[in-house]
Amino acid sequence: MNCEQGGVVIIGAGLAGLVAASEALDAGLKIRILDQENDANLGGQAYWSFGGLFLVDTPEQRRLGVHDSFDLAWSDWQHSAQFDRLADEDLWAHRWAKAYVEFAATEKRSWIKQKGIDLTPVVGWAERGDGRAEGHGNSVPRFHIAWGTGTGVSEPFANKVREGMRTGKVQVLNRHRVTGLVVEGGSVTGVRGEILSLDNALRGWKSTRNVESEFEFSAEAVVIATGGIGGNHDLVRRFWPSRLGSAPGHMITGVPEYVDGSGIELSEAAGARLVNRDRMWHYTEGIQNWNSIWPNHGIRILPGPSSMWFDAEGNRLGAACLPGDDTLGTLKYLRTDPVAKKYDYSWFVLNQRILEKEFALSGSEQNPDLTNRDKAGVIKDRVFGTGAPGPVNDFLNRGADFVAATTVEELASKMNAIAPETVVDASKLHQQLLVRDSQIDNAFSKDQQIQSIRNARKYIGDRLTRVVAPHKILDPAAGPLVAVKLHILTRKSLGGLQTDLSGRVLQQDGRVFEGLYAAGEASGFGGGGIHGYNALEGTFLGGCLFSGRQVGRAVVDAVR
């Protein structure tokens, strides 16, 4: 067995772990990072992300006419989180949430810029809400996109670690899978695990689990930064909350397979407290990746507001279930409505004009212009361009979930061909499209979705880049018609290891578990769940940045 002593051990080479390591390196500490995957995976899930960051009252917002403030953002956060376990599981989560919103409204922008993260000028309006001022959602656009997308967020910290490796201050041990914590006298004093055989799999690919030997390291501090459970459907179903109905029999996966919950489970086995495990965040607009990287790989459509949403049998969803408005509200509807819950999928119905303007895909690899920092290309294609973006067009032509047709009858026939579990009636679908289109003739409407489209276009950022002018879906000039089969896409755990504001993990009795820290998704992005029941988007990467920073600084104070 390989045994070594001392130092700080960080389990997980994703964004939160890298940020914690960066803070420790700035203070002159020596770091050992353990990760079960190979060195191609430095940066973890964040590398694959769209790169959205929640920020409040920024110059980017003000230039676009958005008036934001800490008070408005904190109000939105609390109404979305709906913290209802304040005496127990939400005790520290609520404190973390307020600290995070304060961070987002003050030094976050200058801090990320100093670290090397640059922002695009357009601010997106994600999670527009459930239609109530006192309900879930963002009152204003806050979704700032980094140049480089997820790579633009993760790579500055990955480069910091690479430099530490060159100078001997950081040791990154890949293919080292931690299986247990060493606990002595009530404190965590090290880790133990297995050394896996070398595997040259590409980033994100499934790797082998062949064990070659074992290891054990002692440590002055251990940081759990291993992510959540989104790649482990068994755990997702195990903790699926009854308030969201029944768990789907079929889901697709929005994170690599190694996001399996092992880090939080081994921490719990050692005596750490896991809270809010029934809170999770899964998307309802998932599509099967035609060019998969990890098993069962799904991509999320980032929809504008104009596509019509139908259940598997072709019934339009309720008024609150609008594209881009309320992720978990729509998930709840799809899993509890008597008709919708019989199936594991739903439908977008739209036309080519909507697809070209409003369809974006989540992920660094799906946005090459932003990922490659092609500023001229972004302006040319996203503001003045015609036709669908290249990656969207690839899905339209190659994706298993896309069909196109010139008539509703043909469209329904193709929908039924790729989803034979039930039948979408063409005449019923046609009638619903006609009724919707009847609301376009005036500048006002009783249809909540049409109201939402017009409201979105009052924001210049959406009008320029994301929301097509209201028009009739059945207008032949806007065709052909398009239908997209949508799957539930697993993504984030909102609960996790309960931590204090320093990121110190708590034990089952609420006392500090000396020597053990947690950051990122493993800690519910701080405190065991800063989001409560709902997220406002841009807060997952931001939560990794903030919790990683907090933990890194706390470890420095404890060890130095």
Side-chain angles (χ1 to χ4, degrees):
M1 176 182 290
N2 182 8
C3 298
E4 294 187 25
Q5 296 181 343
V8 176
V9 168
I10 297 174
I11 310 172
L15 179 60
L18 297 181
V19 174
S22 175
E23 292 292 325
L25 280 170
D26 284 342
L29 298 185
K30 290 192 174 182
I31 309 297
R32 178 179 288 127
I33 300 175
L34 309 179
D35 196 280
Q36 70 180 1
E37 301 305 316
N38 64 27
D39 59 1
N41 290 276
L42 194 65
Q45 300 176 62
Y47 180 94
W48 297 106
S49 73
F50 190 55
L53 295 168
F54 176 93
L55 290 131
V56 176
D57 191 22
T58 64
E60 289 78 15
Q61 288 175 299
R62 292 191 290 272
R63 280 195 290 268
L64 294 168
V66 175
H67 303 285
D68 201 6
S69 67
F70 166 78
D71 289 339
L72 181 60
W74 180 228
S75 174
D76 284 349
W77 194 289
Q78 292 181 93
H79 287 131
S80 296
Q82 302 170 31
F83 293 117
D84 59 3
R85 303 165 183 172
L86 289 170
D88 187 19
E89 295 185 59
D90 285 335
L91 175 64
W92 287 102
H94 182 268
R95 297 174 186 178
W96 268 90
K98 188 171 185 181
Y100 175 67
V101 177
E102 288 173 342
F103 175 61
T106 54
E107 63 176 311
K108 181 179 179 181
R109 185 179 180 277
S110 61
W111 181 78
I112 62 173
K113 184 174 180 61
Q114 185 266 328
K115 295 297 181 182
I117 299 171
D118 296 319
L119 300 175
T120 68
V122 174
V123 183
W125 195 353
E127 289 297 297
R128 300 165 191 261
D130 64 8
R132 301 174 298 139
E134 69 279 9
H136 164 63
N138 284 296
S139 297
V140 298
R142 297 189 177 106
F143 192 78
H144 297 66
I145 302 167
W147 284 114
T149 59
T151 70
V153 177
S154 64
E155 280 299 288
F157 299 99
N159 288 335
K160 178 84 172 183
V161 167
R162 292 184 183 110
E163 178 61 26
M165 293 169 65
R166 284 190 288 269
T167 60
K169 295 180 180 179
V170 178
Q171 183 182 29
V172 178
L173 297 178
N174 295 106
R175 304 298 286 161
H176 279 59
R177 178 172 63 186
V178 175
T179 58
L181 302 177
V182 179
V183 181
E184 297 177 356
S187 299
V188 173
T189 60
V191 300
R192 64 171 63 91
E194 300 166 337
I195 300 176
L196 306 178
S197 60
L198 293 178
D199 190 315
N200 294 321
L202 298 179
R203 181 188 287 270
W205 283 24
K206 182 178 181 178
S207 62
T208 64
R209 292 293 180 263
N210 301 323
V211 177
E212 289 196 342
S213 59
E214 297 178 335
F215 68 86
E216 183 172 316
F217 299 130
S218 66
E220 297 171 84
V222 173
V223 178
I224 305 294
T226 53
I229 66 172
N232 186 335
H233 288 194
D234 289 339
L235 282 183
V236 169
R237 292 189 178 94
R238 177 180 168 190
F239 293 105
W240 188 276
S242 59
R243 66 180 176 275
L244 294 180
S246 59
H250 169 75
M251 298 180 284
I252 57 178
T253 311
V255 293
E257 188 178 49
Y258 57 72
V259 186
D260 58 7
S262 58
I264 54 179
E265 296 215 312
L266 68 86
S267 300
E268 183 181 38
R273 189 177 191 218
L274 270 171
V275 295
N276 298 314
R277 298 204 73 176
D278 62 317
R279 296 177 183 172
M280 51 186 69
W281 188 259
H282 306 303
Y283 292 112
T284 49
E285 313 98 336
I287 52 176
Q288 300 171 86
N289 193 349
W290 65 270
N291 189 22
S292 292
I293 297 169
W294 51 81
N296 202 25
H297 187 178
I299 297 292
R300 185 202 175 196
I301 294 173
L302 302 173
S306 300
S307 298
M308 290 187 71
W309 210 330
F310 297 87
D311 67 24
E313 293 187 1
N315 305 294
R316 190 181 185 187
L317 302 195
C321 302
L322 301 177
D325 277 14
D326 182 0
T327 293
L328 291 193
T330 303
L331 179 60
K332 180 179 180 179
Y333 180 93
L334 291 172
R335 302 310 307 160
T336 59
D337 176 80
V339 174
K341 72 179 183 181
K342 294 189 292 183
Y343 310 94
D344 294 335
Y345 64 92
S346 59
W347 294 99
F348 275 166
V349 174
L350 57 152
N351 57 34
Q352 182 72 19
R353 185 182 296 172
I354 294 171
L355 180 137
E356 291 177 358
K357 183 79 169 183
E358 297 195 2
F359 266 35
L361 301 172
S362 183
S364 56
E365 81 283 11
Q366 302 298 333
N367 295 275
D369 52 350
L370 290 167
T371 300
N372 296 328
R373 302 172 187 255
D374 181 6
K375 298 180 181 182
V378 169
I379 294 172
K380 175 178 175 291
D381 295 336
R382 297 187 183 239
V383 179
F384 300 110
T386 58
V392 172
N393 209 45
D394 285 340
F395 272 89
L396 179 62
N397 293 326
R398 305 184 187 187
D401 297 314
F402 284 69
V403 294
T406 56
T407 67
V408 176
E409 291 73 17
E410 182 189 4
L411 188 72
S413 176
K414 290 185 175 181
M415 292 165 71
N416 293 331
I418 66 170
E421 296 89 337
T422 187
V423 174
V424 173
D425 181 81
S427 60
K428 181 180 177 180
L429 180 63
H430 194 194
Q431 181 61 29
Q432 292 176 93
L433 292 168
L434 284 172
V435 172
R436 179 267 185 200
D437 282 357
S438 72
Q439 299 294 301
I440 295 296
D441 293 333
N442 294 289
F444 39 85
S445 170
K446 72 176 183 179
D447 186 274
Q448 187 171 328
Q449 184 169 12
I450 304 301
Q451 295 172 6
S452 176
I453 296 167
R454 297 192 187 281
N455 184 53
R457 285 182 57 82
K458 292 178 181 178
Y459 168 50
I460 189 172
D462 274 353
R463 188 168 69 251
L464 288 175
T465 65
R466 289 286 287 143
V467 183
V468 72
H471 65 281
K472 296 183 178 183
I473 289 180
L474 293 174
D475 181 356
L481 297 170
V482 177
V484 186
K485 184 180 179 182
L486 304 173
H487 308 263
I488 306 301
L489 177 74
T490 63
R491 185 60 65 88
K492 294 297 180 187
S493 313
L494 298 187
L497 295 165
Q498 192 171 38
T499 62
D500 66 11
L501 279 174
S502 295
R504 298 183 300 176
V505 175
L506 305 184
Q507 299 181 77
Q508 295 291 348
D509 60 6
R511 292 182 300 153
V512 170
F513 204 160
E514 296 293 344
L516 186 63
Y517 299 78
E521 192 175 354
S523 66
F525 303 94
I530 64 169
H531 297 95
Y533 288 97
N534 282 292
L536 291 175
E537 291 290 18
T539 56
F540 301 133
L541 291 180
C544 288
L545 293 171
F546 184 57
S547 62
R549 190 181 88 144
Q550 291 289 94
V551 166
R553 294 180 178 184
V555 167
V556 169
D557 290 341
V559 171
R560 190 167 55 182

